[in-house]
């Protein structure tokens, strides 16, 4: 929000500017891994200055930032196990320095906790039990035409539980059935006065539910031969003392992914002409290595796949989450192993999305780091079982030099522990397998590094390049890179 992306990185929350391609701030406060992060939207459309995070240290932290700098933070403690999902609903009705917040958090302790923030005071209002199952995602909103909060919970029992707040306490109203596997994501959106809920699951499907105000059910309708959608009806009492009935119907089922759908998100709403508008666009991330943008057809109203982006090949396991930029012109996703992927809509053809350069690095603790003897680049090893090389990227059209991960010389099956440079383009690494492995750079890496860093080949590689192989490859079920095209294997195992 405001041009910044917030994401969890081990025990920290990182603020990243995708336009400048650099980290502008780091929020430290969690003692264990950060599992979920969310910006807190304001009802007046002003720029967000608060965000909330939950981690494996069993607590939530409410952060307040100004210009990328931490101003204040509040810890919310109560869960007995890791916090795995959260959502925040702003209850402010006008712009003010202090806003009231309603927070829902789900943990591995099989509870959903409801928190309230009034000014600077934060307290836990309620703890909902989910039995022996786990809740994987939660979403908060207000019922259409009322100020009654509604909570949607999706978990490992294939049902979506709907709770509404009555007399300060959330009560279960409905269970929406339809998905046939674990529900990984739920999210509300207000479109044209009606409330829509998007849900995704490991059954590879996305379901869109429509919630709208209706008349109380009649005992006799007199239209037994009329085919209509099944309606799930419930009644709530608003704060004005009136009973209002709402009906939930299945609006659409989206099938396009070939593996688990791990996340689904609506494009953020925006203000236009003094009123808030919600674009009817959905973004879904899947373990089939694709991210799909969905929207209804203008003529028929049927939801269709508009854009599909993703990865082809490689060693990625698919995408774990995704999100829109505030204006909907960029899409950000992160892979199962933590890598960020960014696509931007082209100005010429709105259906074309081009990949962009993003930040990258280890997704677990870094164990060792070494400079190359000439100080041109660095190599690191980490507990994420990878060895990575970082170098400066010098562009002719831009004076600013930025550092990026340009190579991943080793993808191991054990946690990496140590590293030593034994030459300009040779290093030895050690892992938990208790074996040292020596690596030498192939010809194509030296040429690519010269192009990226702007250093000539003569200066970069003073020795002869004739004996170098063209490239390297990792055999199936292997832990060692093997030289390709010419020469013998360059990776030697030393006991």
């Amino acid at each position: 929000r405001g041009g910044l992306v917030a994401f969890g990185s081990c025990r920290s929350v990182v603020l990243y500017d995708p336009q400048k391609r650099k980290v502008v701030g780091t929020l430290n406060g969690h003692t264990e891994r950060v599992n979920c992060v969310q910006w807190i939207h304001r009802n007046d459309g002003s720029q967000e200055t608060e965000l909330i995070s939950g981690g494996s240290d069993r607590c939530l932290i409410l952060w307040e930032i100004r210009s990328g700098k931490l101003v204040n933070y509040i810890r919310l403690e109560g869960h007995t196990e890791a916090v795995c999902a959260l959502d925040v609903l702003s209850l402010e009705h006008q712009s003010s320095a202090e806003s009231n917040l309603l927070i829902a958090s789900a943990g591995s302790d099989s509870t959903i906790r409801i928190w309230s923030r009034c000014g600077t005071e934060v307290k836990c209002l309620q703890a909902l039990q989910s039995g022996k199952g786990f809740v994987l995602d939660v979403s908060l909103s207000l019922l259409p035409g009322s100020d009654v909060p509604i909570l949607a919970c999706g978990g490992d029992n294939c049902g979506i539980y709907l709770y509404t707040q009555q007399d300060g306490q959330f009560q279960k109203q409905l269970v929406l059935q339809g998905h046939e596997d674990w529900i990984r994501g739920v999210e509300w959106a207000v479109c044209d006065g009606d409330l829509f809920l998007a849900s995704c699951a490991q059954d590879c499907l996305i379901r869109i539910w429509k919630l709208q105000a209706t008349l109380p059910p009649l005992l006799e309708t007199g239209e037994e031969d009329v085919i209509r959608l099944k309606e799930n009806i419930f009644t709530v009492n608003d704060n004005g003392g009136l009973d209002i009935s709402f009906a939930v119907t299945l609006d659409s089922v989206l099938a396009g992914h070939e593996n688990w759908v791990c996340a689904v998100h609506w494009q953020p709403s925006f203000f236009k002409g003094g009123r808030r508008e919600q674009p009817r666009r959905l973004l879904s991330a899947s373990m089939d290595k694709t991210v799909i943008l969905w929207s209804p057809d203008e003529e028929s109203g049927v939801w269709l796949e508009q854009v599909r982006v993703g990865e082809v090949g490689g060693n990625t396991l698919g995408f774990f989450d995704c999100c829109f930029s505030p204006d909907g012109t960029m899409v950000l996703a992160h892979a199962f192993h933590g890598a960020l992927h960014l696509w931007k809509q082209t100005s010429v053809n709105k259906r074309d999305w081009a990949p962009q350069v993003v930040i990258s690095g280890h997704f677990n603790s870094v164990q060792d780091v070494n400079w190359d003897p000439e100080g041109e680049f660095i190599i690191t090893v980490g507990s994420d079982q990878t060895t990575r090389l970082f170098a400066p990227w010098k562009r002719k059209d831009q004076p600013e030099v930025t550092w990026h991960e340009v190579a991943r010389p080793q993808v191991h099956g054990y946690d990496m522990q140590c590293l030593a440079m034994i030459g300009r383009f040779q290093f030895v690494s050690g892992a938990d397998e208790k074996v040292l492995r020596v690596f030498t750079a192939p010809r194509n890496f030296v040429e690519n590094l010269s192009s990226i860093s702007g250093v000539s080949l003569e200066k970069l590689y003073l020795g002869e390049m004739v004996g170098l192989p063209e490239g390297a490859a990792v055999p199936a079920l292997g832990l060692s890179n093997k030289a390709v095209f010419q020469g013998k294997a360059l990776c030697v195992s030393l006991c």
Side-chain angles (χ1 to χ4, degrees):
R1 296 297 179 265
L4 295 182
V5 175
F7 63 90
S9 177
C10 290
R11 302 177 182 179
S12 304
V13 176
V14 177
L15 302 178
Y16 172 66
D17 190 335
Q19 300 290 346
K20 298 180 180 179
R21 302 191 186 101
K22 66 179 182 180
V23 173
V24 298
T26 304
L27 307 179
N28 298 311
H30 287 283
T31 58
E32 296 293 339
R33 186 184 65 184
V34 177
N35 297 325
C36 43
V37 181
Q38 181 174 315
W39 289 98
I40 299 176
H41 312 295
R42 296 175 65 93
N43 291 337
D44 59 1
S46 60
Q47 182 173 325
E48 293 85 350
T49 59
E50 293 180 306
L51 57 92
I52 189 169
S53 60
S56 297
D57 55 359
R58 300 172 292 183
C59 78
L60 297 92
I61 299 183
L62 190 61
W63 311 87
E64 183 180 358
I65 59 172
R66 303 283 181 180
S67 302
K69 303 296 183 181
L70 177 63
V71 177
N72 187 31
Y73 74 93
I74 304 174
R75 296 177 65 89
L76 287 68
E77 299 180 345
H79 283 283
T80 58
E81 294 293 340
V83 179
C84 57
L86 57 85
D87 194 26
V88 183
L89 178 64
S90 179
L91 300 179
E92 60 183 353
H93 297 284
Q94 57 185 2
S95 179
S96 60
E98 295 182 348
S99 59
N100 297 334
L101 301 177
L102 188 65
I103 304 169
S105 61
S108 300
D109 53 5
S110 299
T111 66
I112 306 119
R113 289 188 174 266
I114 309 298
W115 312 80
S116 173
R117 201 281 299 272
C118 297
T120 58
E121 181 184 358
V122 180
K123 61 181 179 180
C124 182
L125 299 179
Q126 188 179 2
L128 302 172
Q129 301 294 328
S130 60
K132 297 181 180 179
F134 295 98
V135 173
L136 302 178
D137 200 13
V138 295
S139 183
L140 283 166
S141 185
L142 294 176
L143 287 172
S146 73
D147 55 359
V148 177
I150 182 170
L151 170 68
C153 305
D156 60 356
N157 60 358
C158 308
I160 302 174
Y161 289 78
L162 299 185
Y163 297 84
T164 58
Q165 191 177 44
Q166 300 283 269
D167 299 326
Q169 297 290 302
F170 276 86
Q171 302 174 6
K172 185 170 69 174
Q173 297 288 354
L174 283 178
V175 180
L176 303 179
Q177 301 289 348
H179 286 292
E180 298 178 351
D181 208 331
W182 290 16
I183 298 172
R184 302 301 298 264
V186 291
E187 185 167 289
W188 293 106
V190 179
C191 301
D192 300 326
D194 294 326
L195 194 59
F196 288 85
L197 176 67
S199 62
C200 63
Q202 294 178 181
D203 58 5
C204 311
L205 298 176
I206 300 167
R207 290 175 177 264
I208 301 176
W209 311 82
K210 183 178 182 181
L211 188 151
Q212 59 185 345
T214 186
L215 297 175
L218 301 177
L219 296 178
E220 297 291 340
T221 61
E223 299 180 352
E224 297 179 358
D225 57 341
V226 177
I227 299 177
R228 62 182 63 191
L229 290 174
K230 178 184 177 182
E231 292 184 342
N232 298 281
I233 299 177
F234 64 92
T235 303
V236 299
N237 185 276
D238 66 2
N239 294 335
L242 299 177
D243 289 338
I244 306 176
S245 296
F246 295 91
V248 182
T249 57
L250 179 62
D251 185 76
S252 300
V253 178
L254 310 183
H257 288 292
E258 299 174 355
N259 208 328
W260 296 358
V261 185
C262 296
V264 61
H265 296 286
W266 296 91
Q267 179 178 333
S269 58
F270 59 91
F271 275 87
K272 183 178 181 181
R275 61 187 300 267
R276 183 183 293 272
E277 293 191 5
Q278 172 64 57
R280 299 191 68 185
R281 302 173 79 197
L282 269 178
L283 192 68
S284 59
S286 172
M287 294 298 285
D288 63 4
K289 303 182 183 181
T290 65
V291 175
I292 298 179
L293 191 154
W294 309 82
S295 66
D297 182 71
E298 294 181 358
E299 297 181 359
S300 64
V302 177
W303 283 81
L304 300 174
E305 172 187 324
Q306 302 295 333
V307 177
R308 181 188 292 254
V309 295
E311 293 290 309
V312 177
N315 59 355
T316 60
L317 291 178
F319 293 108
F320 201 63
D321 206 349
C322 59
C323 67
F324 279 104
S325 63
D327 60 0
T329 60
M330 291 192 293
V331 166
L332 182 70
H334 75 82
F336 192 80
H337 282 300
L340 293 177
H341 300 259
L342 179 66
W343 295 272
K344 186 175 182 179
Q345 190 177 34
T346 60
S347 57
V348 179
N349 188 349
K350 299 300 183 181
R351 295 182 66 88
D352 289 341
W353 293 68
Q356 305 294 307
V357 177
V358 291
I359 192 174
S360 65
H362 291 279
F363 63 87
N364 210 333
S365 58
V366 178
Q367 298 296 340
D368 203 356
V369 58
N370 262 219
W371 282 93
D372 89 285
E374 300 297 327
E376 295 287 349
F377 58 88
I378 59 174
I379 298 183
T380 61
V381 294
S383 298
D384 58 0
Q385 305 180 353
T386 64
T387 301
R388 304 181 187 228
L389 189 146
F390 298 86
W393 181 21
K394 299 179 181 178
R395 288 151 287 180
K396 296 181 181 179
D397 56 339
Q398 296 185 16
E400 184 180 6
V401 177
T402 55
W403 282 71
H404 299 270
E405 178 187 345
V406 298
R408 202 167 298 181
Q410 188 179 13
V411 179
H412 208 23
Y414 293 87
D415 290 357
M416 306 297 300
Q417 298 296 339
C418 56
L419 169 79
M421 297 292 295
I422 56 177
R424 185 74 193 276
F425 292 102
Q426 274 192 330
F427 72 89
V428 57
S429 63
D432 285 346
E433 64 170 340
K434 304 176 183 177
V435 173
L436 299 177
R437 297 177 182 271
V438 180
F439 293 84
T440 300
R443 176 191 295 270
N444 63 358
F445 168 77
V446 179
E447 294 174 348
N448 290 336
L449 182 62
S450 173
S451 176
I452 294 172
S453 61
V455 182
S456 64
L457 284 173
E458 292 77 12
K459 182 180 179 182
L460 197 61
Y461 196 86
L462 300 178
E464 295 292 332
M465 295 182 61
V466 178
L468 293 179
E470 291 296 326
V474 181
L477 303 179
L479 296 177
S480 301
N481 299 349
K482 302 296 182 181
V484 295
F485 301 126
Q486 64 178 353
K488 298 182 179 180
L490 295 178
C491 178
V492 182
S493 297
L494 304 177
C495 296

